[in-house]
């Protein structure tokens, strides 16, 4: 079922969803299953599965030269989505990225998804490969997420790449895209960023999931600015539960977001890991409660591989 239909069918019932990441290459999918099974008393409305670009591994050879080996550390997004959808009867949303993909490979991935009955895709550009100063598109791929959205939208109209398919069957994907309440780091300012977001919606995106934020005022302000700019699709807030003191430096560096001083101070007072987790959980509960009170229909939790804290927040909020 399309995500937009899930929202419509549930009317005013509040929902939540999660984002999970594929296990590292060579590890078992069972870890993902365990993470999902924790939540089955109150299952998520849908599960997003991230896509990971190639990275480079540097290996020193016996002659002293260094070999640069491309590797995908977390493969399997399409099959994980298929496995979860049919095992738990929960809709899954594979992320598709521009980075590392030619248009042809993207088309093939979309055809695979269409054949296995996946109705939703989340289109993002992807970040620069570790060690590269900025995002470099595949020579035959897309530079921006909007180009990926356009390709998917064309397939939804039965237009395939070479235009040689006889009686083409259209796909029927519901497309989601990313938005940034604290601005994407490469955008000159939030208004410009919102204009590009609007273009993604005009190109065919039907909902937005935001980057994580810890201060609800930033989300409310972002939504207001998006609405004023003419973006009227659902904007689903992305929530990360802070579960370790390391997150205070890691999250701002990795995701270009601020952590409010009150949260930083509460975390710093804690002497144990459990104390930090409790602070993070209480913060997320307060954030979630306020968002739901403001009529936000759905909360999206970034799991980063762990769902125990999400379970505690969800049990309190839903
Ligand atoms: P875009 O929309 O292409 O925007 C990138 C930058 O270019 C922005 O600064 C924008 O303002 C600017 N821009 C857009 N269009 C134009 C234009 N026409 N001309 C000039 N500038 C333009 N990354 C992954 O690798 N895998 C994932 O699974 C993944 N999932 C994510 C899920 C969520 C909810 C979020 C918020 C992010 C996710 N990301 C993921 C990270 C994302 O790939 C990065 O943030 C990336 O740097 C930007 O992706 P985008 O789709 O927002 O890019």
């Amino acid at each position: 079922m399309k995500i937009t239909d899930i929202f419509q069918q549930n009317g005013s019932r509040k929902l939540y969803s999660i984002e999970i990441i594929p296990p590292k290459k060579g590890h078992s999918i069972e870890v993902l299953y365990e993470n999902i099974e924790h939540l089955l008393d109150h299952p998520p409305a849908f599960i997003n599965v991230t896509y990971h670009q190639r990275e480079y591994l540097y290996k020193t050879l016996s002659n002293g030269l260094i070999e640069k080996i491309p590797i995908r550390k977390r493969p399997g997004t399409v099959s994980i989505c298929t496995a979860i959808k049919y095992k738990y009867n929960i809709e899954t949303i594979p992320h598709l990225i521009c980075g590392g993909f030619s248009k042809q490979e993207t088309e093939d991935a979309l055809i695979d998804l269409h054949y296995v009955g996946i109705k939703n895709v989340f289109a993002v550009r992807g970040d620069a490969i570790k060690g590269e100063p900025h995002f470099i598109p595949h020579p035959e791929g897309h530079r921006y997420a909007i180009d990926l959205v356009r390709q998917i939208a064309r397939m939804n109209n039965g237009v395939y790449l070479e235009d040689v398919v006889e009686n083409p069957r259209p796909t029927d994907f519901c497309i989601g895209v990313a938005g940034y309440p604290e601005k994407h780091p490469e955008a000159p300012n939030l208004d410009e960023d919102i204009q590009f977001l609007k273009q993604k919606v005009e190109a065919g995106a039907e909902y937005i999931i935001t980057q994580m934020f810890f201060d609800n005022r930033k989300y409310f302000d972002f939504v207001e600015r998006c609405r004023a700019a003419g973006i009227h699709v659902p904007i689903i807030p992305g929530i990360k539960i802070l579960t370790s003191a390391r997150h205070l430096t890691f999250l701002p560096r990795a995701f270009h977001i601020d952590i409010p001083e009150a949260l930083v101070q509460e975390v710093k007072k804690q002497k144990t890991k459990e104390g930090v987790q409790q602070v993070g959980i209480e913060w997320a509960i307060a954030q979630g409660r306020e968002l739901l009170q403001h009529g936000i229909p759905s909360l999206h939790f970034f799991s980063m591989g762990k769902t125990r804290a999400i379970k505690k927040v969800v049990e309190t909020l839903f």
Side-chain angles (χ1 to χ4, degrees):
M1 189 189 287
K2 291 181 174 189
I3 295 318
T4 43
D5 292 338
I6 293 181
F7 286 139
Q8 212 160 32
Q9 279 193 4
N10 279 277
S12 60
R13 209 181 109 214
K14 306 292 183 195
L15 304 173
Y16 84 97
S17 55
I18 61 168
E19 177 191 282
I20 60 173
I21 55 177
K24 281 194 179 147
K25 181 150 98 173
H27 289 242
S28 164
I29 195 170
E30 296 299 329
V31 179
L32 291 186
Y33 292 159
E34 280 165 25
N35 267 318
I36 293 167
E37 281 163 22
H38 280 337
L39 300 173
L40 287 184
D41 285 345
H42 190 100
F46 54 91
I47 299 178
N48 283 51
V49 183
T50 55
Y51 212 111
H52 295 258
Q53 181 152 198
R54 273 189 201 91
E55 295 177 30
Y56 291 109
L57 209 121
Y58 294 90
K59 195 170 156 192
T60 309
L61 304 175
S62 54
N63 60 7
L65 292 176
I66 292 177
E67 189 184 4
K68 185 177 172 188
I69 307 165
I71 100 157
R72 202 182 289 284
K73 280 194 184 159
R74 294 181 184 273
T77 301
V78 172
S79 49
I80 290 168
C81 283
T82 314
I84 292 174
K85 177 178 162 78
Y86 293 109
K87 186 172 168 68
Y88 299 108
N89 195 23
I90 297 177
E91 284 307 325
T92 47
I93 309 185
H95 292 192
L96 284 186
I97 58 174
C98 304
F101 280 85
S102 68
K103 292 173 197 155
Q104 195 63 252
E105 287 162 339
T106 298
E107 186 173 272
D108 291 349
L110 287 162
I111 289 171
D112 281 341
L113 291 168
H114 183 54
Y115 285 162
V116 296
I118 296 220
K119 293 279 182 207
N120 300 282
V121 286
F122 193 73
V124 282
R125 186 194 70 180
D127 281 319
I129 296 182
K130 251 185 218 158
E132 289 183 353
H134 53 83
F135 175 80
I136 301 170
H138 185 288
E140 286 152 28
H142 298 303
R143 177 172 291 278
Y144 294 111
I146 188 173
D147 305 315
L148 178 54
V149 173
R150 286 188 179 127
Q151 181 175 6
I152 305 164
R154 274 195 300 272
M155 284 178 69
N156 280 347
N157 283 315
V159 181
Y160 289 74
L161 280 177
E162 299 82 9
D163 217 7
V164 291
V165 186
E166 273 183 43
N167 301 321
R169 291 290 178 92
T171 54
D172 189 18
F173 291 112
C174 175
I175 309 167
V177 290
Y180 301 82
E182 297 183 53
K183 183 182 95 60
H184 184 266
E186 293 163 36
N189 58 54
L190 189 53
D191 287 333
E192 281 283 305
D193 209 19
I194 288 174
Q195 284 308 316
F196 289 128
L197 181 58
K198 186 179 178 196
Q199 289 174 15
K200 291 194 279 192
V201 173
E202 287 166 350
E206 293 181 68
Y207 66 96
I208 294 160
I209 300 180
T210 75
Q211 182 57 281
M212 66 183 73
F213 56 89
F214 288 88
D215 177 351
N216 284 352
R217 278 171 308 169
K218 297 199 170 162
Y219 169 81
F220 292 132
D221 178 55
F222 176 68
V223 173
E224 206 177 303
R225 290 165 85 147
C226 287
R227 300 302 182 222
I231 299 174
H232 298 296
V233 298
I235 303 178
I236 304 167
I239 295 183
K240 167 75 189 121
I241 306 168
L242 189 143
T243 50
S244 96
R246 201 178 70 89
H247 282 159
L248 291 183
T249 47
F250 169 72
L251 298 175
R253 202 171 49 232
F255 301 103
H256 308 275
I257 48 109
D258 273 355
I259 301 192
E261 190 53 26
L263 177 55
V264 175
Q265 291 311 326
E266 269 316 301
V267 169
K268 284 188 171 168
K269 278 188 214 156
Q270 304 308 312
K271 305 265 183 287
T272 61
K273 270 199 258 174
E274 293 71 26
V276 173
Q277 275 180 16
Q278 195 50 35
V279 168
I281 287 170
E282 281 166 18
W283 190 275
I285 290 172
Q287 256 195 294
R289 191 169 282 139
E290 189 185 26
L291 290 164
L292 295 174
Q293 278 164 357
H294 274 74
I296 308 302
S298 189
L299 308 178
H300 186 70
F301 292 96
F302 298 107
S303 77
M304 290 186 179
K306 294 186 184 127
T307 55
R308 281 186 194 282
I310 296 176
K311 180 179 169 69
K312 291 191 179 157
V313 173
V314 162
E315 276 173 355
T316 310
L317 287 178
F318 292 91

